[in-house]
Amino acid sequence: MKKIILTGDRPTGKLHVGHYIGSIKSRLELQNSENYDEFYVMIADAQALTDNAGNVQKVKENILEVALDYLSCGLDPKKVCLFIQSEVPALTEISFYYMNLVTLSRLKRNPTVKEEIKLRGFEESVPVGFLTYPISQTADITAFEANIIPVGDDQKPMIEQAREIVRSFNTTYGETLVMPEAVVPKSKSQSRLVGTDGKGKMSKSLGNCIYLSDSEDTVKQKIMNMYTDPNHIKITDPGQIEGNVVFEYLDAFVKDDSFEKYLPEYKNLDELKAHYKRGGLGDVKIKLFLNNILQEILRPIREKREALAKDPQKVYKILFEGSDKANIKANKTLAKIKNAMGINYRANI
Ligand code: TRP
């Protein structure tokens, strides 16, 4: 069976280190493994509009920002098809047919959508487009016959819903669609990176993000202000690891050679944690260590981003060429879908 990968992000803001560790890093590993047949990364502008109807400009601007983030992290348009969702009209048409295979009560049960509705304070006034975006996401996935979907934990219910729609379509109209599978990050600290304030997931609306495009000084400042253990006042006080943002980030970002490079008096994270718990290890030291590790990751990304940002036309060209390719594939699948459903009237008359 072919290995087809598809994933994407809503362009509602610049990408942050939570995106990097939760999804971009594994996309780069997949890309560099070259162990796949097709690889699509979609900028989900149409999905972003489902709760931004009045903010089209914001979504539009962030298409470029997200594309810059992708490219500066190393996603290679020669290996990966980068495209814009709204540039592929077949996705909308496919969604319309899938809508007949899903009940309203099933949509309302989707835990991620439920959570998002609460967060946005929609209550009963939730836009139909928003409630039904898991259907459109199923169209995104199936239009490309994708079977490998690398996503964060919060997207698992979307893939579950997509699998139900695929099953329902295939039983109703005959075996047509490919069954997708979610691939989620290995560890919790990676799949759900906490914000710098320790209050919850890193998210733009909470103002607790470190962006891939932040300057060196901004990154350092955000790290120095990170939430640690409020009871760890004097260096000699015993400290808590649990809920300590600096340690959560170290869990997610530390590399085999980080200690040797930046903190040679410790062998590994376990030793560092043990010292912190015992007392005698100050917050400034662990923060500066984290700063070194993050700056090493972010420096090349920032430099590449600054260079790319000087030529937005070049970035759009990449996205439009990707969208042209995406259209060819999605139109083929749409034809298969209409065939299976028996609504290919012109072919039969
Ligand atoms: N829902 C995803 C997000 O919130 C974006 C997305 C849209 C997506 N379509 C997709 C992800 C298809 C994986 C596959 O970021």
Side-chain angles (χ1 to χ4, degrees):
M1 195 171 58
K2 273 194 167 182
K3 281 189 184 172
I4 303 181
I5 308 166
L6 178 128
T7 185
D9 297 283
R10 294 181 200 169
T12 51
K14 294 177 179 185
L15 301 186
H16 50 62
V17 295
H19 292 113
Y20 178 83
I21 202 72
S23 60
I24 307 278
K25 196 162 165 257
S26 61
R27 291 178 200 175
L28 293 170
E29 283 161 10
L30 278 167
Q31 166 185 285
N32 299 333
S33 76
E34 299 198 13
N35 178 21
Y36 56 85
D37 296 287
E38 295 164 41
F39 194 162
Y40 299 91
V41 177
M42 181 182 77
I43 302 186
D45 65 329
Q47 186 177 112
L49 289 171
T50 62
D51 64 334
N52 279 292
N55 283 321
V56 182
Q57 190 58 26
K58 177 182 94 176
V59 172
K60 185 179 167 194
E61 282 164 13
N62 281 306
I63 291 175
L64 182 63
E65 297 295 343
V66 170
L68 284 170
D69 285 328
Y70 285 165
L71 294 167
S72 52
C73 284
L75 284 181
D76 178 356
K78 288 196 202 73
K79 294 181 183 161
V80 173
C81 177
L82 299 174
F83 72 97
I84 304 173
Q85 187 181 25
S86 68
E87 285 282 306
V88 184
L91 299 177
T92 323
E93 192 172 342
I94 294 171
S95 304
F96 199 66
Y97 300 130
Y98 291 173
M99 285 190 179
N100 308 326
L101 303 170
V102 187
T103 65
L104 189 57
S105 66
R106 175 63 183 89
L107 285 171
K108 284 185 177 163
R109 274 204 315 273
N110 184 311
T112 300
V113 177
K114 250 178 155 168
E115 178 70 30
E116 287 173 321
I117 289 175
K118 210 160 74 192
L119 226 63
R120 287 161 176 72
F122 279 146
E123 289 165 17
E124 283 309 303
S125 62
V126 54
V128 172
F130 189 78
L131 190 66
T132 55
Y133 89 71
I135 301 177
S136 131
Q137 189 154 335
T138 305
D140 304 336
I141 293 167
T142 53
F144 296 91
E145 306 190 301
N147 48 2
I148 303 168
I149 321 296
V151 283
D153 258 346
D154 63 323
Q155 294 292 304
K156 271 197 203 155
M158 302 301 154
I159 314 304
E160 200 37 59
Q161 186 134 33
R163 290 172 64 86
E164 284 174 32
I165 294 174
V166 167
R167 220 171 282 133
S168 169
F169 188 99
N170 287 348
T171 3
T172 313
Y173 302 116
E175 209 52 43
T176 313
L177 304 176
V178 175
M179 189 60 83
E181 198 98 45
V183 181
V184 292
K186 287 169 221 87
S187 74
K188 195 172 147 270
S189 62
Q190 294 189 348
S191 70
R192 197 177 185 281
L193 190 72
V194 69
T196 51
D197 57 0
K199 286 198 181 129
K201 192 174 148 174
M202 186 170 274
S203 105
K204 191 179 44 163
S205 51
L206 297 174
N208 59 7
C209 303
I210 297 176
Y211 292 99
L212 297 177
S213 47
D214 276 346
S215 72
E216 188 166 342
D217 286 347
T218 306
V219 172
K220 184 165 179 188
Q221 198 187 348
K222 287 179 178 176
I223 292 173
M224 297 320 274
N225 288 331
M226 263 181 186
Y227 181 84
T228 56
D229 170 5
N231 299 318
H232 182 242
I233 297 161
K234 290 198 291 300
I235 291 186
T236 46
D237 290 340
Q240 257 218 326
I241 306 291
E242 190 78 0
N244 186 319
V245 177
V246 178
F247 279 104
E248 296 216 13
Y249 280 52
L250 288 174
D251 274 331
F253 292 99
V254 85
K255 289 199 219 135
D256 288 344
D257 63 355
S258 302
F259 281 93
E260 204 184 312
K261 269 191 184 153
Y262 304 119
L263 207 58
E265 58 266 47
Y266 299 88
K267 269 207 273 318
N268 53 41
L269 207 46
D270 286 340
E271 264 188 15
L272 190 74
K273 284 180 182 173
H275 192 183
Y276 193 81
K277 277 197 243 177
R278 241 184 2 254
L281 175 58
D283 281 359
V284 170
K285 190 156 179 174
I286 55 168
K287 284 178 171 173
L288 289 175
F289 179 46
L290 175 63
N291 183 55
N292 279 323
I293 293 172
L294 276 187
Q295 299 287 2
E296 181 183 320
I297 297 171
L298 295 176
R299 193 173 303 116
I301 297 175
R302 187 186 306 121
E303 283 167 8
K304 200 162 168 197
R305 200 181 196 283
E306 278 166 14
L308 286 164
K310 292 196 178 107
D311 194 356
Q313 292 312 317
K314 195 168 143 191
V315 178
Y316 280 120
K317 189 161 173 271
I318 290 169
L319 295 178
F320 293 147
E321 281 174 7
S323 302
D324 290 344
K325 249 195 263 170
N327 265 308
I328 294 171
K329 175 86 185 199
N331 285 334
K332 266 193 204 155
T333 310
L334 174 61
K336 279 189 202 173
I337 286 171
K338 292 180 83 169
N339 250 325
M341 293 173 71
I343 54 171
N344 52 345
Y345 308 124
R346 285 168 187 258
N348 299 332
I349 290 161

